[in-house]
Amino acid sequence: MPATSMRSPHPQLLQVHDTPMECETILRSVMKKASGPQKPRRHIRFNETVTVRAIIHIDDMPDEEIEAIWFHKQDFQEMKAAFIPTVRMISRGEYMGDNEHHCARGLEYRHKA
């Protein structure tokens, strides 16, 4: 069967090329198109003003304060119940990205691939 009769998303790769350089140029062009537009490079910078806050150690906290700020078993049960619909969406392939109702961050290990 002639190469031109094959279906391919990149028909130029099926043509016969004379030089390795020509093949490499076409391959780079195809790979660049496949990878999509390049994202701008991220960068970070640090503020010249540094703020330091003292944090009280748990051993130095009164029991009432620990009770007020620490998660309880019921809190974890409510969190788990809240993320179950998102995990189900991910597992069914229906998840379309984060929004005000669903966030997949940290749930990667909770769904079947």
Side-chain angles (χ1 to χ4, degrees):
M1 173 187 316
T4 55
S5 67
M6 299 173 111
R7 290 182 180 251
S8 170
H10 309 293
Q12 67 270 30
L13 293 179
L14 297 175
Q15 298 170 0
V16 177
H17 297 283
D18 294 331
T19 65
M21 186 69 146
E22 191 176 11
C23 291
E24 186 177 338
T25 302
I26 290 172
L27 186 58
R28 284 183 193 203
S29 170
V30 169
M31 295 303 289
K32 188 173 184 179
K33 288 177 186 175
S35 67
Q38 298 295 317
K39 293 181 181 179
R41 289 189 69 178
R42 291 182 168 191
H43 63 278
I44 62 168
R45 55 188 170 150
F46 298 93
N47 196 333
E48 292 179 18
T49 306
V50 177
T51 303
V52 178
R53 296 181 190 189
I55 306 296
I56 188 170
H57 191 276
I58 189 169
D59 292 342
D60 300 326
M61 287 184 184
D63 290 341
E64 302 82 35
E65 188 171 357
I66 294 171
E67 185 70 23
I69 64 172
W70 235 247
F71 287 122
H72 298 90
K73 186 174 184 173
Q74 179 66 30
D75 297 322
F76 287 109
Q77 289 171 340
E78 289 172 10
M79 284 185 252
K80 185 175 180 178
F83 70 64
I84 287 174
T86 304
V87 171
R88 286 186 178 144
M89 288 174 67
I90 294 168
S91 295
R92 291 189 302 246
E94 299 170 356
Y95 187 73
M96 302 302 286
D98 295 349
N99 60 39
E100 64 184 273
H101 302 291
H102 300 280
C103 177
R105 184 174 181 182
L107 302 178
E108 297 85 3
Y109 70 98
R110 296 247 183 214
H111 67 90
K112 297 175 186 173

